[in-house]
Amino acid sequence: MSLRARLLLILLLATLLPTGLVGWRFIQEREKELAEARRTLAASARRIGDELDARVQGTAQLHYGLSRARDLETTDRAACSAFLSAVLDERPQYTGLLTIRPDGALFCDSLRSGRQLDLRDREYFKQALTKRGEVALQPTFGRLTGISVLQIAYPVRDGAGPLKFILLASLNLEKFTQDRLREFVTPQPQILLVDRKGTVLVWSGNASGRAAAGSLIADSALFRLANQSTGAGVAEIVDARGETQVWAKDEIASSRLHGVRVLLGVSKVDLIAAANKRLAQDLTFHALLAVLLFAAMWAIAELGIRRQIGRITEMARRLGEGQLDARIAEPYPRGELGGLMAVLNSTAGSLQRQRADIEDLGQQLRQSQKLEAIGTLAGGIAHDFNNILAAILGNVALARDDLAPGHPVERSLSQIDIAASRARDLVQQILAFSRRQSPALVALSLRPLVEDILGLLRVALPAGVSLHTDLTDAPIHVQADPTQLHQVLMNLCANAAQSLQGQSGHVTVGLALVARSAARSAGVVCEEGSPGCAHLWVADTGSGMDESTRLRVFEPFFTTKSAGAGTGLGLSVAHGIVTAHGGALTVDSRPGQGSTFHVYLPTVASGAPVLTPSMPPLRPPAWSGRGERVLYLDDDEVMKVLVERLLTRAGYRPVCFGSAQRALAAVRAEPVAWDVVVTDYSMPELSGVEVCRELVAIRPGLPVIIISGYVSDELRVAARAAGVREVIQKQYTLEELGPAIRRALTPTDA
């Protein structure tokens, strides 16, 4: 027998057998699916019961909250009704909210009906009179609305004293069932709610001949199903039209407190409709598949299966040996085998590219790890360096305060103050990059910021590189983060200087105001009424770039420098910052003609408040201590001396410790002797957060302030969880410590 005949015979058997099995499987699985549908129906009924219980619990919590509202403890009936009406507007699941006096008289209601009702005959009122801290329930029809509701009453008492009033919420059972029906897609069920006596509360869903709300079905099979205490809780019941309905009850209805029986019904025809449809689809699919397989098998056999499979096998073998450059030579046969060959070749190419991509990703990962290490290192350096800066700035301020006006030393102290402030700002710039913070936008004048940065650049540029400027005198105001703009200009200028490759040349920094139309062509939209768009550019006389390099220059990790000479992140970071400011960063360059990077930023209207960068000399603020005892904890001796002088001069009584254990021992000895504790975060024995936890255990409520040279988001979260009142940066001790102590000493309810 030929290979083609064998394949066709196998295919015939392979298609006839599944077709015969489809019918047999349908008979078996339809019953299984029906049983599964019953279980699902029962679970859905139970879920509806659970949801109703959850609504009761939610109402109980609402009552508890309302019972403490002063708006209900009033003799003004209209004001009380208005308050309940406002509460009802936010909670459409209720038909009404009302209060009942202990004598059973309706006092106020959310419907503002003004009716005089005696509710002493209501079951929920009688139950509420005997309850404490729990709700009374009664399914009924609202006397004011006529809607099927679950009355949920809550007695409000004065502690262990007498009853003040009863809060009543009417849970809308009709809306509840309609909301539940929307949770079902297909088939659409019926939801029936009855009370213990067999009164129909709600019957929702598409069903003819259903009983109306308020009618009794106590003698029906449905009510017997709802009340049975044993069994599966699912039954098939024939309705008035002779159609079989599958009904499921809430299996734990008898143990629920709300007194409502939940029944969920679906037509049996609808339950098995999906199985019948699937049978027809399966048979159609098998018939079509058989025809297609016969035709395909005939063509495949004719074209020579064995030869083509041999080519595929050889390709697979070479791939298995790791030869990712292996390919199946053309021409390919028509049909599935040809497609498979093309897919194999494509897969081999994809694997080859993936291997190259993995190597690139590995390199990027190493670069990312370097950056992460730099960020971690920056945080650690910032903590120690900010300790030094805080001590320098604080002592300079104290020294200047001690000098007589016009003293010759004043000028030297001012220079120290300016240099230390600049160093503090530089540390903040390093931390801003390592934290990847969102821009803190303020309205500022752009030229003073550029001139301040140019002062740093003149010192930082290599020898032989001159810095030229072309700055407009016109005022240009932008909404920007000055720290991040500082980073953008520094990156662009550093890139321009490096493009000179050690040769002499010059870097030009320019600033101008361009028309809104020019900015629009660069992709920047300026505010209506603004004079135009800010154009900042950095040009160099370096070697320039070809077109392929220019198109990739803003890609992360792309660099033309030699290995180890750069990360390839400077321009991509600058591009990201400018884009985050709503601006655009472009580049013009040609080989041998240098490069010019253009920064376009939207301006703000001239009437906006503008920040002009300045560095006023720091002086000790006018703190207002009244002899409060302040415990200061820091392992840095210089900071201890500085803060002690600051606090003493401000009118506090400071006691400084260099050891966390000694400080805790002092608090244990005299817990109430201290008004506030100020502690450094990073110390050898315990961190500032751990010290706060110990202090809370010794004396709850003692205000604690943490000072740290590096304040991260993680530190703020941990400090808040431990009960710390304030977290301030150590480099701003002079400006922030006094106000922080005053806020900590101010009562929280003031």
Side-chain angles (χ1 to χ4, degrees), residues 98-100 104 106 117-131 134-144 149-155 166-170:
L98 54 88
T99 63
I100 308 171
L106 171 66
L117 295 178
D118 186 356
L119 303 175
R120 287 178 296 176
D121 61 330
R122 306 301 276 185
E123 182 63 27
Y124 60 78
F125 177 80
K126 298 175 183 178
Q127 294 179 24
L129 291 177
T130 63
K131 291 182 178 292
E134 56 180 336
V135 295
L137 305 170
Q138 181 185 1
T140 184
F141 295 90
R143 183 175 293 184
L144 296 177
V149 296
L150 179 61
Q151 303 284 26
I152 306 173
Y154 178 79
I166 295 174
L167 269 169
L168 182 68
S170 302

Side-chain angles (χ1 to χ4, degrees), residues 175-396:
K175 187 178 186 304
F176 173 79
T177 57
Q178 292 299 326
D179 291 342
R180 302 288 76 73
L181 282 176
R182 283 192 286 270
E183 298 173 0
F184 296 89
V185 179
T186 183
Q188 273 288 322
Q190 306 172 54
I191 299 179
L192 173 61
L193 303 182
V194 297
D195 63 9
R196 295 187 179 94
K197 299 178 181 179
T199 302
V200 175
L201 300 172
V202 180
W203 194 328
S204 300
N206 296 325
S208 61
R210 63 189 182 191
S215 59
L216 287 173
I217 60 168
D219 296 331
S220 68
L222 273 176
F223 187 68
R224 288 193 294 272
L225 172 64
N227 268 351
Q228 74 178 31
S229 58
T230 60
V234 180
E236 294 184 5
I237 299 175
V238 179
D239 61 13
R241 297 178 298 174
E243 297 181 358
T244 301
Q245 306 287 330
V246 180
W247 287 91
K249 70 166 187 173
D250 177 7
E251 295 180 2
I252 59 173
S254 59
S255 63
R256 299 191 188 278
L257 299 177
H258 50 62
V260 178
R261 283 11 180 203
V262 177
L263 291 169
L264 191 64
V266 178
S267 170
K268 186 175 181 180
V269 173
D270 292 339
L271 288 181
I272 63 175
N276 292 335
K277 181 179 180 181
R278 190 167 57 253
L279 173 63
Q281 292 175 342
D282 288 348
L283 292 176
T284 302
F285 173 77
H286 278 83
L288 292 175
L289 182 61
V291 173
L292 292 175
L293 286 176
F294 268 88
M297 188 63 71
W298 184 280
I300 291 171
E302 289 294 332
L303 292 174
I305 295 178
R306 288 179 297 180
R307 183 172 61 88
Q308 305 301 340
I309 290 180
R311 297 172 65 191
I312 294 172
T313 302
E314 177 62 18
M315 172 71 174
R317 183 189 64 79
R318 295 179 64 188
L319 287 178
E321 293 175 353
Q323 301 179 33
L324 299 184
D325 58 346
R327 299 291 186 272
I328 299 177
E330 295 183 0
Y332 303 146
R334 294 182 179 180
E336 289 81 357
L337 283 179
L340 179 58
M341 291 178 181
V343 169
L344 283 174
N345 279 347
S346 175
T347 302
S350 177
L351 290 174
Q352 196 170 15
R353 290 191 298 272
Q354 288 177 19
R355 174 179 289 179
D357 290 343
I358 289 172
E359 293 176 355
D360 291 342
L361 287 174
Q363 179 64 25
Q364 294 179 18
L365 176 60
R366 288 189 289 272
Q367 294 288 352
S368 177
Q369 290 171 341
K370 290 179 183 178
L371 291 176
E372 183 178 356
I374 290 173
T376 303
L377 180 62
I381 292 175
H383 177 271
D384 295 336
F385 195 56
N386 281 333
N387 283 350
I388 300 172
L389 291 176
I392 293 174
L393 290 168
N395 281 289
V396 167

Side-chain angles (χ1 to χ4, degrees), residues 34 53 218 241 253 258 288 306 407 428 448 468 570 603 642 653 719 725 736:
L34 187 58
D53 270 355
R241 297 178 298 174
H258 50 62
L288 292 175
R306 288 179 297 180
H407 196 282
Q428 292 304 108
H468 297 172
T603 59
L642 170 65
R653 291 184 296 157
R725 294 283 183 88
E736 297 183 359

Side-chain angles (χ1 to χ4, degrees), residues 44-59:
S44 298
R46 180 171 181 176
R47 185 176 70 251
I48 294 173
D50 291 340
E51 177 64 21
L52 188 56
D53 270 355
R55 293 294 178 91
V56 172
Q57 294 298 325
T59 305

Side-chain angles (χ1 to χ4, degrees), residues 512-527:
L513 186 67
V514 298
R516 287 199 297 269
S517 58
R520 194 177 303 112
S521 63
V524 180
V525 179
C526 297
E527 291 183 2

